[in-house]
Amino acid sequence: KAGVTQTPRYLIKTRGQQVTLSCSPISGHRSVSWYQQTPGQGLQFLFEYFSETQRNKGNFPGRFSGRQFSNSRSEMNVSTLELGDSALYLCASSLAAVTEAFFGQGTRLTVV
Amino acid sequence: QKEVEQDPGPLSVPEGAIVSLNCTYSNSAFQYFMWYRQYSRKGPELLMYTYSSGNKEDGRFTAQVDKSSKYISLFIRDSQPSDSATYLCAMSVLVDTGGFKTIFGAGTRLFVKA
């Protein structure tokens, strides 16, 4: 069974640009969560989608947004990129239970 | 004060040692307690989860939760070089939107020397 797939794996963007990251969950999983991981702040929750609805949101500015499609695939968008947005962005999917979340390998975003 | 505190290490042990990794938390509402392992350049991988005080064992790994002290631990017996990774604790609570709020610890880097 295929795991969680995130694309692209690596990305370099310039300050002020916007970026879209993609996550394909495990087949049958309806919950997709996004996290930002940095050396200083660790793993921080961005938002969670379940059946195309945002169910939870972390404490990030409105420049961070996401959506989920009917096939459960999810995208997150960051507008007006800042240097501090450089991080590993991780997506996790689960059937429903928080205790069974499976992570993708992440997208490494570098903002220059 | 962070909701979940975890010593980032690094922790270096010889092969075969018993490893103890710990987290403390402040929010008594947390209901689920997880441990993840993350290898370099990979996403976290769920190792174990529990939702009650006490011990849960899976092979060489034992997860321990003490809700009265707000303290959780992960023990690794007969540690191997392949256990070298970052170990993250995570805790979740159901929120009124129907989903969960999950907070991760900072992660402890573990090195097991052959």
Side-chain angles (χ1 to χ4, degrees), chain A residues 9-10 35 37 43 45 48 55-56 88 90 96 98-101 103-105, chain B residues 32 34 36 38 41-44 46 49 88 92 95 97-100 102 104:
Chain A
R9 290 290 312 279
Y10 302 93
Y35 295 86
Q37 188 173 37
L43 205 62
F45 173 72
E48 184 221 354
R55 198 160 62 166
N56 272 305
L88 180 67
L90 290 156
V98 66
T99 52
E100 297 284 350
F103 281 84
Q105 295 201 72
Chain B
Y32 298 92
M34 288 82 75
Y36 286 84
Q38 186 174 20
R41 301 184 184 280
K42 300 281 189 182
L46 180 65
Y49 72 88
L88 300 124
S92 296
V95 296
T97 55
F100 287 88
T102 300
F104 282 80

Side-chain angles (χ1 to χ4, degrees), chain B residues 36 56-57 62 86 100 103:
Chain B
Y36 286 84
K56 182 176 180 180
E57 194 172 314
T62 299
T86 297
F100 287 88
I103 306 295

Side-chain angles (χ1 to χ4, degrees), chain B residues 3-4 11-12 17 21 23 29 31-32 34 36 39 43 48-50 62 64 81 91 93 100 106 110-111 113:
Chain B
E3 284 189 274
V4 177
L11 179 63
S12 184
L21 304 166
C23 288
Q31 299 161 295
Y32 298 92
M34 288 82 75
Y36 286 84
Y39 291 113
M48 299 183 70
Y49 72 88
T50 185
T62 299
Q64 188 177 80
M91 307 178 191
V93 59
F100 287 88
L110 172 67
F111 295 96
K113 299 172 292 184

Side-chain angles (χ1 to χ4, degrees), chain B:
Chain B
Q1 182 193 6
K2 290 185 177 181
E3 284 189 274
V4 177
E5 299 276 3
Q6 182 177 14
D7 186 339
L11 179 63
S12 184
V13 301
E15 183 176 359
I18 296 175
V19 176
S20 172
L21 304 166
N22 312 295
C23 288
T24 59
Y25 61 96
S26 58
N27 186 349
S28 58
F30 283 131
Q31 299 161 295
Y32 298 92
F33 305 89
M34 288 82 75
W35 284 97
Y36 286 84
R37 176 176 62 193
Q38 186 174 20
Y39 291 113
S40 182
R41 301 184 184 280
K42 300 281 189 182
E45 168 194 14
L46 180 65
L47 278 176
M48 299 183 70
Y49 72 88
T50 185
Y51 51 84
S52 58
S53 282
N55 294 352
K56 182 176 180 180
E57 194 172 314
D58 185 1
R60 296 185 296 111
F61 298 90
T62 299
Q64 188 177 80
V65 174
D66 182 345
K67 287 189 176 181
S68 62
S69 300
K70 298 191 184 70
Y71 189 89
I72 71 170
S73 299
L74 177 71
F75 298 97
I76 306 174
R77 289 183 298 281
D78 187 26
S79 57
Q80 303 295 309
S82 58
D83 294 327
S84 298
T86 297
Y87 290 81
L88 300 124
C89 63
M91 307 178 191
S92 296
V93 59
L94 181 65
V95 296
D96 52 17
T97 55
F100 287 88
K101 166 183 164 181
T102 300
I103 306 295
F104 282 80
T108 300
R109 290 198 67 190
L110 172 67
F111 295 96
V112 181
K113 299 172 292 184

